[in-house]
Amino acid sequence: MAAASSKTPAMVLDVDGFDVRLTNPDRVYFSERGETKLDLASYYLSVGAGIVNALRDRPCMLHRFPKGVDGDKVHQKRLPAGAPPWVETVRLHFPRYGLHADELCVQRLADVIWAVQMSTVEFHPWNSRRADTEKPDEWRIDLDPMPRCGYDKVRRAAHVSHEILDELGAVGWPKTSGGRGMHVYVRIKPEHGFQEVRRAALAFAREVERRLPDDVTTAWWRKDRSPHDLFVDYNQNARDHTIAAAYSVRGNPRGTVSAPVGWDEIDDSVPDDFTIATMPDRFARLGDLHAGIDDAVFDLAALLDWAERDEREGKALPPDEE
C-alpha cells in the first residue's frame, strides 16, 4: 500500500471577493522563525492597502523563491503562466534585448496574493505607470551603504536629504530598504523621460554629497568608492531599474520588510525592526504611512536647473543606462 501523503492540502483564500488558491501553505519560507507560505500571504493581507498603493498600475518584476528564501531566486519579468483572467498586465519593450514582456500590473490585493501563490516574496515595481510607462511619476532617492558603511551614515544622509527636500518644497516619503539602506520617494509630474529624471536625481545626490563630503559619494564606478561610503544611487531612476516596493518583504531568512517610516523614527529604529512578524501590528496601529503620496506632486524643474549648473561647471554625466 502506498504511504499516505503528509502534504498539507491546498486552500482557497477569499480576497475581497476573488478566490485565490494557495498550494503548499505550510512550506517554510523564512528559516529564522519558521514562517510559511501561508504566513507570507497573511502578512500581505494584513498590509493590503499599503502594498496595493505601492504597486497599483505599475509594471512589476517579481522575485520568486519556489523553495523558500534559502533556495534559488527567480527574477520574473513576464507574468507567470496560469494567471486567473482577472490578473492584468502591461506590455513593456526592452530595447537593449529587442524583446517585449507582459509584466504584472497590480490592481487589487487578490493580484498580490496570487503572486504569493506563485512563490513571489519581493515585489519590484517600475517608477512609472501603465498610462505612460516611459514617463516616471516617482523619483527615488536610494541611500545605499557600501560594505563597511554604518547605519549612522544612512541616518545622516536621510536627514540631509529631508533638509534639501524641504528647501525645494518637495515632500519625501522615507522607508527602510529591508536591507542596510533607506529609500525616499517623491511624487513627480509624469512629464520627463527616464534620462531627465536620472539627471535630476544625480543633481540632488551631488547636493547631498556637498553637505556630507566625508560620508557620501556619487562616484559612478564602484572601485572609486570607499567601502565606508554611503552611495546615493541616482541610477535607480534609470529605465528598467527597480527596487523593492513599500511593504515588500525581502528574500532573507528574517523576513525583513521595506517599511515606511516617519522622519522622526529614523534615529530610533533599524531595518531589522521591521519584519513580517512585526509589521501587521504596526500597520494596524498606524495605517499606510505613504497613503498621501499621490497628493504631493513635485516639479523637477529646479533640480534640472541644478543639473545644468553642474554640467556647465564640468561635472561629468555618468554612462547612459537607457
Side-chain angles (χ1 to χ4, degrees), residues 164-206:
I164 300 169
L165 290 172
D166 279 350
E167 292 170 9
L168 288 165
V171 180
W173 304 83
K175 66 184 184 71
T176 64
S177 68
R180 298 174 53 245
M182 287 195 70
H183 306 147
V184 182
Y185 286 179
V186 181
R187 273 293 177 271
I188 58 175
K189 297 178 180 180
E191 298 176 341
H192 304 281
F194 290 100
Q195 287 182 325
E196 289 297 275
V197 175
R198 183 169 172 254
R199 280 181 70 226
L202 173 56
F204 182 89
R206 283 173 169 158

Side-chain angles (χ1 to χ4, degrees), residues 50 52 61 78 88 95 109 153 161 167 177 201 204-205 224 251 280:
V52 172
M61 184 171 71
R78 292 176 174 80
E88 298 184 26
L109 183 54
K153 291 187 179 181
S161 295
E167 292 170 9
S177 68
F204 182 89
D224 295 330

Side-chain angles (χ1 to χ4, degrees), residues 33-269:
R33 289 180 306 270
E35 287 96 347
T36 64
K37 185 178 184 180
L38 177 58
D39 292 324
L40 178 62
S42 297
Y43 161 76
Y44 279 120
L45 289 170
S46 76
V47 299
I51 188 65
V52 172
N53 188 43
L55 298 176
R56 185 181 283 113
D57 288 334
R58 300 187 183 281
C60 187
M61 184 171 71
L62 309 177
H63 288 195
R64 299 173 53 229
F65 294 82
K67 301 297 183 183
V69 301
D70 292 336
D72 292 337
K73 175 165 64 173
V74 178
H75 293 257
Q76 186 97 29
K77 290 183 184 284
R78 292 176 174 80
L79 188 76
W86 40 262
V87 172
E88 298 184 26
T89 62
V90 58
R91 171 151 283 219
L92 299 171
H93 181 225
F94 298 94
R96 186 181 306 175
Y97 309 107
L99 298 172
H100 291 81
D102 296 312
E103 290 197 6
L104 174 66
C105 191
V106 166
Q107 301 299 300
R108 59 187 69 84
L109 183 54
D111 303 338
V112 174
I113 304 306
W114 176 80
V116 172
Q117 156 59 13
M118 302 306 294
S119 71
T120 301
V121 173
E122 300 189 16
F123 293 84
H124 286 240
W126 280 42
N127 62 339
S128 60
R129 299 186 194 250
R130 67 175 174 181
D132 189 344
T133 58
E134 298 304 313
K135 297 288 178 63
D137 74 333
E138 190 165 80
W139 157 35
R140 296 171 174 177
I141 302 164
D142 181 10
L143 306 178
D144 182 14
M146 295 296 98
R148 297 171 66 183
C149 175
Y151 199 62
D152 55 334
K153 291 187 179 181
V154 179
R155 290 187 175 112
R156 284 199 291 274
H159 288 309
V160 167
S161 295
H162 188 197
E163 173 186 286
I164 300 169
L165 290 172
D166 279 350
E167 292 170 9
L168 288 165
V171 180
W173 304 83
K175 66 184 184 71
T176 64
S177 68
R180 298 174 53 245
M182 287 195 70
H183 306 147
V184 182
Y185 286 179
V186 181
R187 273 293 177 271
I188 58 175
K189 297 178 180 180
E191 298 176 341
H192 304 281
F194 290 100
Q195 287 182 325
E196 289 297 275
V197 175
R198 183 169 172 254
R199 280 181 70 226
L202 173 56
F204 182 89
R206 283 173 169 158
E207 183 60 24
V208 178
E209 183 179 29
R210 288 184 190 100
R211 300 190 190 194
L212 289 173
D214 296 329
D215 295 343
V216 167
T217 184
T218 59
W220 172 257
W221 301 110
R222 192 177 184 92
K223 65 180 177 57
D224 295 330
R225 304 175 206 152
S226 163
H228 299 278
D229 281 341
L230 186 286
F231 177 48
V232 182
D233 189 359
Y234 47 89
N235 204 50
Q236 294 297 357
N237 295 278
R239 191 179 192 280
D240 192 29
H241 282 230
T242 61
I243 51 182
Y247 299 104
S248 176
V249 183
R250 304 306 306 270
N252 58 58
R254 185 171 174 78
T256 57
V257 170
S258 184
V261 293
W263 289 110
D264 60 352
E265 295 183 285
I266 289 172
D267 288 339
D268 298 318
S269 62

